[in-house]
Amino acid sequence: MSPVVHGFDWPDRFVVGTVGEPGARTFYLQVRDGREVVSVALEKQQTALLALEIDRVLDELRTQDGNPFHVPEGTPVELRDDEPLDAPVIERFRVGRMGLGWDPSTAQIVIEALPLAVEDDDEDGMDAAPEPDERLVVRIPVGSARAFALRTREVVASGRPLCPLCEEPMEPDGSHECGVPDDLS
C-alpha cells in the first residue's frame, strides 16, 4: 500500500508551536491550507535544527550572483506569524526523520517529515525500516521560509531559562541541580 502523503504547495500557514508548559512542552509542526490542518509532533532539537538549516540554505542562496531568487536577508514583517497553533492540535504522527531541499523551478524550500519507523526483522535477521504509512511534504517560498525559521528560533528560545554555569535548563520555579562541580562555581 502506498503511503498517505500530506502535500502542501504554498500553504496558507506553516508554523512551529508548542502545547504545554516550559519543561513539559510538546513541539508541533503545523500546516494549514484552507480548512485542512495537519500537525506532527517533533523534538525540540529537531525543531531547532530545522530552523538552522533553513537559514543556512537561504543564506547560501542569497550569496548567488545577483540573488536570483530574491531571498530576503531578514524576515519580512508582513510574513510574521505570532499566533498560537490552530486548535484542536491533533497529532498525525511523531516525526522520526526530516529532509530539507530546494526547488529552483518554483523558488521554494521543500520540507519532508517522516514518522518514527517501527523496525521490522526481515528474513535475513537484519532490521529493516518499513515504508512509512504517511509523510508530510511542505513547499514554501523564500520569504515564508525566513519567517518560519525566525518564529521557530523564538519558540525554541521561549522555554525554560538556562543555568548561567552549566547551561542546562532550570525548572520554572528556579530550582536546578547544577552539573558544574562546587569548586568551579
Side-chain angles (χ1 to χ4, degrees):
M1 182 170 88
S2 58
V4 173
V5 177
H6 305 283
F8 294 87
D9 294 335
W10 303 85
D12 296 332
R13 185 172 196 225
F14 181 59
V15 295
V16 162
T18 61
V19 173
E21 296 300 316
R25 298 185 297 172
T26 301
F27 285 77
Y28 289 96
L29 188 63
Q30 188 178 74
V31 60
R32 175 182 39 140
D33 195 28
R35 301 181 80 182
E36 184 179 7
V37 178
V38 173
S39 303
V40 296
L42 65 167
E43 297 297 323
K44 181 179 181 178
Q45 295 82 358
Q46 290 173 304
T47 306
L49 183 59
L50 179 59
L52 181 74
E53 289 300 311
I54 287 173
D55 275 336
R56 184 190 59 75
V57 168
L58 293 174
D59 291 344
E60 283 180 15
L61 291 168
R62 268 190 59 75
T63 64
Q64 291 185 1
D65 191 31
N67 190 9
F69 300 108
H70 308 288
V71 177
E73 182 176 354
T75 301
V77 175
E78 66 274 10
L79 296 178
R80 278 195 65 104
D81 182 345
D82 296 322
E83 296 299 314
L85 294 171
D86 291 338
V89 177
I90 300 169
E91 180 180 318
R92 293 294 307 200
F93 59 83
R94 179 159 289 281
V95 174
R97 292 182 298 139
M98 296 186 78
L100 179 66
W102 168 249
D103 183 348
S105 68
T106 61
Q108 290 179 301
I109 294 286
V110 181
I111 299 156
E112 182 177 37
L114 302 169
L116 282 171
V118 177
E119 300 294 323
D120 285 340
D121 284 335
D122 67 12
E123 295 159 3
D124 298 331
M126 303 292 290
D127 286 338
E131 178 72 18
D133 292 337
E134 57 187 324
R135 66 183 60 206
L136 174 66
V137 180
V138 181
R139 304 166 68 84
I140 55 176
V142 294
S144 296
R146 194 64 93 181
F148 172 85
L150 173 65
R151 175 191 169 116
T152 299
R153 287 191 312 275
E154 291 173 349
V155 167
V156 168
S158 70
R160 296 177 290 170
L162 299 180
C163 171
L165 298 174
C166 70
E167 297 184 355
E168 290 295 319
M170 297 189 305
E171 296 302 320
D173 65 3
S175 64
H176 172 63
E177 288 187 32
C178 190
V180 174
D182 290 335
D183 58 342
L184 296 178
S185 57

